[in-house]
C-alpha cells in the first residue's frame, strides 16, 4: 500500500481573512497535482473559512485540548475542531512543547481526544541541537514518540503521520543532511512497525520539517522513508508552497 506524499502547510500564528486568497490558490493548483496529498493547518480563526474555500486540500488544526469540554478558558477541543471543518490536527509540535510546557504524556492524551473526535493525527518529534551534538538524537526522539503516540490505532496508515522536525532547523534556514534524515526516519519507521505492525506501521508517512523550501524539497523528498513534509514559513504564500508540492509530484513521477 503506497500512499501519496503528504505536504502539509503549518501557518502557525499567521493569517487573517486576507490570506484566504493564498489558500484558494493552493487549493486550485492542488487539483492539478493529484499525485500529492496537500493540506493546510491555519490558525483556529481560519479553519472554517479555509474549509469552505477548499475543494481539494485537507484542512486541519495546529493543536487541541485533551478534554472534550469544560472550564478551560481559551482552549479548543478536538470536537470543536471537527465541527469547524478540520480533518486532522498537529500535536506535540516543538513550539508547543517548549513554549507551553507540553509533555509526552499530554501529547498522548491529546492524541486520544483527537481520535475520539474522528480527526487524523500528525504527531511531531525532534531534538535540540545539544542533544544531537551529544550523539543522543535518535534515542531522544524514539523515547519521545514511544510515549507521545497512541498505543493502538486502527488504520494507522491512513489516520496517522509522524513529523520529524529537528528543533535547530525550524525557521533557521538550516536543514538536516539527507543522511541524518534517513537515519532518523529509519529509526522512527522501526518504532512504527513495532507498535502498529508491518502492514500499517510500515507505510505510515513520516514527514520531514525544518526549513523546507522549493530549493531543497526534491532532495529531501527523495530521501529514504520520507513520506512528505511539514512546512512552516514557506507555506504562507501559494508560490513558495506550491513549489514544494510540485517537487513532491516530480518525485512521484520519476
Amino acid at each position: 500500500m503506497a500512499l501519496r506524499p503528504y505536504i502539509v502547510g503549518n501557518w502557525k500564528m499567521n493569517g487573517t481573512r486576507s490570506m484566504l486568497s493564498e489558500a484558494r490558490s493552493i487549493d486550485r493548483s492542488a487539483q492539478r497535482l493529484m499525485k500529492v496529498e496537500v493540506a493546510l493547518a491555519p490558525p483556529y480563526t481560519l479553519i472554517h473559512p479555509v474549509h469552505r474555500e477548499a475543494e481539494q486540500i485537507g484542512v486541519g488544526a495546529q493543536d487541541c485540548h485533551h478534554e472534550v469540554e469544560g472550564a478551560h478558558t481559551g482552549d479548543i477541543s478536538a470536537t470543536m475542531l471537527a465541527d469547524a471543518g478540520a480533518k486532522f490536527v498537529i500535536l506535540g509540535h516543538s513550539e508547543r512543547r517548549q513554549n507551553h510546557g507540553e509533555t509526552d504524556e499530554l501529547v498522548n492524551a491529546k492524541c486520544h481526544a483527537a481520535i475520539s473526535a474522528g480527526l487524523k493525527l500528525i504527531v511531531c518529534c525532534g531534538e535540540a541541537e545539544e542533544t544531537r551534538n551529544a550523539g543522543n538524537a535518535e534515542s531522544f526522539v524514539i523515547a519521545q514518540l514511544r510515549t507521545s503516540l497512541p498505543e493502538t490505532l486502527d488504520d494507522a496508515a491512513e489516520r496517522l503521520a509522524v513529523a520529524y522536525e529537528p528543533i535547530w532547523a525550524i525557521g533557521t534556514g538550516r536543514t538536516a543532511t539527507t543522511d541524518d534524515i534517513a537515519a532518523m526516519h529509519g529509526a522512527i519507521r522501526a518504532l512504527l512497525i513495532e507498535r502498529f505492525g508491518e502492514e500499517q506501521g510500515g507505510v505510515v508517512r513520516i514527514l520531514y520539517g525544518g526549513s523546507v523550501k522549493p530549493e531543497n524539497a526534491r532532495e529531501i523528498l527523495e530521501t529514504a522513508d520520507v513520506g512528505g513534509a511539514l512546512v512552516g514559513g514557506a507555506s504562507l504564500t501559494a508560490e513558495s508552497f506550491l513549489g514544494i508540492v510540485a517537487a513532491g509530484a516530480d518525485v512521484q513521477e520519476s
Side-chain angles (χ1 to χ4, degrees):
M1 176 173 56
L3 300 175
R4 295 179 293 167
Y6 192 25
I7 310 296
V8 182
N10 176 14
W11 280 6
K12 305 190 180 184
M13 198 174 73
N14 298 286
T16 59
R17 284 180 295 175
S18 64
M19 281 185 64
L20 288 176
S21 60
E22 300 293 337
R24 190 179 307 114
S25 295
I26 290 167
D27 181 73
R28 302 306 182 264
S29 294
Q31 296 178 38
R32 301 191 297 272
L33 296 164
M34 296 295 291
K35 292 183 180 294
V36 180
E37 183 176 354
V38 182
L40 289 177
Y44 293 131
T45 53
L46 290 182
I47 290 173
H48 186 61
V50 174
H51 168 68
R52 292 183 62 182
E53 290 284 345
E55 297 177 359
Q56 177 62 37
I57 63 173
V59 182
Q62 300 170 23
D63 185 47
C64 71
H65 198 272
H66 65 284
E67 297 285 358
V68 175
E69 59 186 8
H72 305 290
T73 302
D75 286 312
I76 305 291
S77 73
T79 303
M80 293 172 179
L81 297 178
D83 185 60
K87 302 301 182 185
F88 69 91
V89 60
I90 299 170
L91 297 172
H93 192 282
S94 62
E95 290 160 0
R96 299 290 310 178
R97 293 177 186 267
Q98 289 180 310
N99 300 338
H100 297 271
E102 294 193 359
T103 63
D104 299 337
E105 290 78 8
L106 179 58
V107 174
N108 179 277
K110 290 184 176 189
C111 285
H112 287 286
I115 292 166
S116 295
L119 297 177
K120 296 182 180 182
L121 313 175
I122 299 176
V123 180
C124 298
C125 58
E127 81 285 356
E129 187 166 23
E130 55 267 27
T131 301
R132 173 159 290 278
N133 290 342
N136 299 324
E138 288 185 25
S139 60
F140 176 86
V141 167
I142 296 307
Q144 194 177 51
L145 281 175
R146 280 192 187 280
T147 303
S148 297
L149 289 172
E151 296 74 17
T152 60
L153 181 61
D154 293 337
D155 299 321
E158 290 289 344
R159 300 190 67 188
L160 171 68
V162 171
Y164 167 58
E165 293 193 301
I167 295 170
W168 47 269
I170 298 173
T172 64
R174 300 169 60 195
T175 306
T177 68
T178 52
D179 286 345
D180 287 340
I181 295 170
M184 184 64 78
H185 282 223
I188 294 170
R189 176 67 66 207
L191 173 63
L192 291 170
I193 291 172
E194 174 190 315
R195 178 150 304 186
F196 303 114
E198 180 72 45
E199 183 177 350
Q200 294 293 318
V203 292
V204 168
R205 288 172 293 193
I206 307 172
L207 317 182
Y208 175 78
S211 299
V212 180
K213 45 189 179 288
E215 294 77 14
N216 63 16
R218 178 162 187 157
E219 181 182 28
I220 292 169
L221 293 169
E222 287 178 330
T223 302
D225 271 316
V226 174
L230 182 58
V231 184
S235 70
L236 295 177
T237 67
E239 181 180 6
S240 59
F241 188 55
L242 290 169
I244 297 169
V245 175
D250 288 344
V251 169
Q252 281 293 91
E253 292 172 355
S254 62

